[in-house]
Amino acid sequence: MTVPALHNTGVLYRRILSHFPQDITLAFAYGSGVFKHHGSSQGQMEKNMLDFVFAVDDPVTWHTMNLLQNRKHYSILKLLGPKTISSIQSDHGAAVYYNTLVPVDGRVKMLVQSENGSLRAALVSNLKSAVTASFLMLPESFTEEELFLQIAGLSYAGDFRMVFGEDRSKVSNIVRDNMQHFKTLYSNILHDCPLVVYKSQQAKLEVDKSPEGQFVQLMTLPRTLQQSITRLVDPPGKNRDVEEILLQVAQDPDCGAVVQQGISSIVKSSSITQSVKGIATAGLWKTVSYSSKKLFKMWKGWRRKPWVSHT
């Protein structure tokens, strides 16, 4: 299968991309500036910051060109040169060079995607892994919305910024006004999966929760997550085979909770190291400015929620 691409990217996105070196394998925009979040107006969307991710084959070459084109975008790290910048990007945190508050002209949508077969396969594999992990954490029967909420919440599980800095209703705000986008992205995978009954007309699903079904799903998870689960379950010094451990987890009534803990441990570690690294890559002033805006947004979200008294 191919990854569904949203082609109506508009002049705005293409104009922004034109400010950067064109040797980009994959580029996409995401966040509240791209897709409407529940409770936000069109006017608010247009004021929100646009978030982009660029994937490149050769970070050193790309940073070399970008330093020539957009030197002002970089923090003091620009003085260390493209090789050091690329090393900081690749060797720490989530292997991402993070920058914020970059001034250009002036929203996930796919903007640039090369014909690289391995890249396409990785994108599809990532979508399937998100579905499989979510199946393991959901009950036997659930709705489309519950599935998409679980998928959207994967990258926030264990993220310390969900306690300090992010609106706690962020995941539901993302899903509620973008159900059709999620359906477009995951429909083929759900229809083709042999372990789920997808009743698309009723927007309901039923997944195989037998130990055998859960074992099959656990065996198809990404290796990093399998290793994380193994560390949680296997006592130090036993060094049992991964397949043996996953078979044990598949028979555990708390299988979903174990998978959740495995994901959270991965996200927690990378979110902390990436945030610390972001102070260097974005610069102290922009980090403080960006964080203060996030905290203010979180505070406003709390104010909107009614207080409930239980007696």
Side-chain angles (χ1 to χ4, degrees):
M1 67 171 281
T2 58
V3 179
L6 303 174
H7 299 289
N8 186 25
T9 55
V11 175
L12 171 63
Y13 304 126
R14 296 197 296 272
R15 249 184 21 213
I16 291 173
L17 284 178
S18 71
H19 286 264
F20 298 91
Q22 297 305 293
D23 189 18
I24 296 175
T25 306
L26 172 72
F28 61 88
Y30 67 100
S32 59
V34 180
F35 292 112
K36 187 177 184 296
H37 286 195
H38 185 74
S40 64
S41 65
Q42 185 64 35
Q44 287 174 313
M45 279 185 64
E46 293 173 358
K47 293 178 182 178
N48 287 342
M49 182 168 61
L50 292 168
D51 299 306
F52 291 88
V53 170
F54 298 161
V56 301
D57 290 327
D58 186 344
V60 176
T61 300
W62 195 88
H63 282 297
T64 299
M65 294 187 293
N66 198 42
L67 280 164
L68 293 172
Q69 289 182 225
N70 302 299
R71 192 171 181 82
K72 291 182 179 179
H73 290 181
Y74 288 83
S75 67
I76 197 171
L77 292 183
K78 61 177 172 280
L79 301 178
L80 303 179
K83 288 185 178 180
T84 301
I85 289 173
S86 180
S87 176
I88 292 171
Q89 169 188 319
S90 303
D91 299 341
H92 305 282
V96 173
Y97 189 92
Y98 168 79
N99 203 353
T100 188
L101 302 177
V102 175
V104 290
D105 286 347
R107 272 181 176 256
V108 179
K109 288 194 176 180
M110 206 71 71
L111 305 176
V112 173
Q113 184 176 334
S114 74
E115 295 303 315
N116 187 313
S118 60
L119 173 62
R120 286 180 175 272
L123 290 169
V124 173
S125 177
N126 189 54
L127 294 174
K128 290 180 176 179
S129 295
V131 168
T132 301
S134 297
F135 282 170
L136 287 163
M137 293 184 286
L138 286 164
E140 185 174 4
S141 301
F142 47 91
T143 65
E144 280 181 343
E145 184 175 0
E146 289 170 331
L147 172 62
F148 299 147
L149 284 168
Q150 190 72 60
I151 291 173
L154 290 175
S155 61
Y156 297 105
D159 191 336
F160 79 97
R161 291 168 296 187
M162 293 304 289
V163 180
F164 301 104
E166 289 287 2
D167 185 352
R168 295 181 187 178
S169 59
K170 182 171 185 174
V171 173
S172 61
N173 290 342
I174 291 171
V175 173
R176 289 171 68 181
D177 280 355
N178 293 287
M179 285 291 293
Q180 190 55 51
H181 290 306
F182 279 93
K183 290 180 183 180
T184 300
L185 200 56
Y186 290 102
S187 178
N188 288 342
I189 293 174
L190 295 175
H191 280 295
D192 293 342
C193 181
L195 295 175
V196 67
V197 177
Y198 181 28
K199 305 172 184 177
S200 54
Q201 296 300 317
Q202 292 101 337
K204 293 181 178 180
L205 303 93
E206 295 176 5
V207 70
D208 184 357
K209 301 299 286 188
S210 69
E212 296 81 9
Q214 294 194 137
F215 178 64
V216 171
Q217 294 170 59
L218 287 166
M219 289 299 292
T220 61
L221 292 175
R223 185 178 301 174
T224 303
L225 179 51
Q226 290 179 342
Q227 292 171 342
S228 179
I229 292 171
T230 298
R231 286 192 293 269
L232 288 170
V233 176
D234 201 31
K238 291 198 69 174
N239 297 319
R240 289 185 297 163
D241 183 74
V242 171
E243 187 172 335
E244 180 186 351
I245 296 169
L246 295 182
L247 181 59
Q248 174 188 328
V249 174
Q251 300 174 63
D252 190 333
D254 295 323
C255 173
V258 175
V259 174
Q260 176 80 42
Q261 290 175 27
I263 294 171
S264 295
S265 65
I266 295 171
V267 175
K268 181 179 180 179
S269 175
S270 61
S271 70
I272 292 173
T273 52
Q274 184 65 38
S275 295
V276 172
K277 187 176 79 172
I279 298 173
T281 58
L284 181 60
W285 170 247
K286 286 203 289 186
T287 300
V288 171
S289 178
Y290 176 78
S291 299
S292 64
K293 290 177 181 178
K294 282 283 187 181
L295 287 168
F296 180 68
K297 189 175 181 180
M298 179 180 69
W299 176 73
K300 287 202 301 183
W302 284 347
R303 286 192 64 193
R304 285 197 298 267
K305 294 175 183 177
W307 289 94
V308 179
S309 176
H310 298 279
T311 57

